[in-house]
Amino acid sequence: MIGQRRLVLEPREVPLGGVRGMSVLRALPHRNLPTIGAWCFLDRFGPADTRMRVEPHPHIGLQTVTWPLVGEIRHRDSLGSDADLRRGQLNLMTAGNGISHSEYSIGDDPIPLDALQFWVVLPESTRHGAAGFERHTELPGVALTADAGADATATVVLGEFAGVRSPATVHTPIVGTEIVLAPGSRVRLPLHPDWEHALMLVEGDAVVSAHPMERNDLLYLGDSRDEVEVSSTEGSLLFLLGGEPFEDDIVMWWNFAGRTHDEIVAAREAWEAESSPDAATPRFGAVDGHDVRIPAPPLPDVRLMPRGRRI
Ligand code: MN
């Protein structure tokens, strides 16, 4: 049992590199908290006018969850998927033992772009399994009866919220839900008392459990709550994430989620080996339409270790 918490996890600015020197705001993993439920990574990409060109790169042991706020994103992967994604739609890619993908903004010119990208770590039972890709254009909504002002609406992106399930494939008990509050609205969000949760303020203003939020902050709520009160003066967009606390110690490095240093080294070596055209059985495959790929960075000089939970 973790108990109730009310801790602000401020995001940090992380340079993505590349010619344009783009940067993202990263709220997870946090130095004191590697996971919230099975959520192990949270980036906000934008808002910016940009030409996004994330060339093919590999993943293992996780699902990528792409949730655009503004602008369209084209996803291509080594399974042959090629999908354009816009607001209200979910791209869910399951890496399993290995996949590679690219993400581009639509068109050749800079466009207004803003998106959330999350990773969800896979449990032992499926992390060595087959890769997959799903696009969901119809996600269930929930009306939340307001205590003041207009009712709020929730879109269940992943897992289960207020008894409503997203059609997206998940591997652990989890919730990911977008919440929209009208100006002057006050609502209570139902929570699973055995799960830990956090709320991110994406746009607007919000007071969560009597705490005034700053935009892009992630407010960690711990567990042992069956609801949390949220109010807004000017209206707001929030994202609720949570789930059953993830028990395994995970080792994350670059685009990989594993359990040991040696697994990460093996995945890195496989990706580097596949840059040669005569590579044997590919683990990560190739993404059609690309002639460049992102090389793996050098490994650090120390053994990679799991980050402990210090909250
Ligand atoms: Mn990726």
Side-chain angles (χ1 to χ4, degrees), residues 54 57-59 64 93 101 103 117 119 255:
V54 180
H57 60 277
H59 287 286
T64 65
M93 184 180 81
H101 75 137
E103 288 172 300
Q117 188 172 71
W119 297 350
N255 297 306

Side-chain angles (χ1 to χ4, degrees), residues 9 27-28 35-42 116 118-120 158 161 174-179 189 191 195-201 217-222 238-244:
L9 309 179
L28 274 182
T35 50
I36 298 172
W39 299 93
C40 63
F41 181 95
L42 166 51
L116 301 178
F118 307 87
W119 297 350
V120 175
L158 210 64
F161 175 74
I174 198 165
V175 57
T177 296
E178 187 187 88
I179 316 276
L189 311 181
L191 304 178
W195 294 3
E196 56 182 337
H197 294 89
L199 269 165
M200 180 187 184
L201 179 63
D217 280 351
L218 190 62
L219 184 68
Y220 179 66
L221 296 167
L238 299 115
F239 202 95
L240 171 72
L241 57 152
E244 188 176 278

Side-chain angles (χ1 to χ4, degrees), residues 96-115:
N97 193 51
I99 195 168
S100 56
H101 75 137
S102 69
E103 288 172 300
Y104 278 29
S105 51
I106 303 286
D108 291 326
D109 299 320
I111 60 168
L113 206 62
D114 196 1

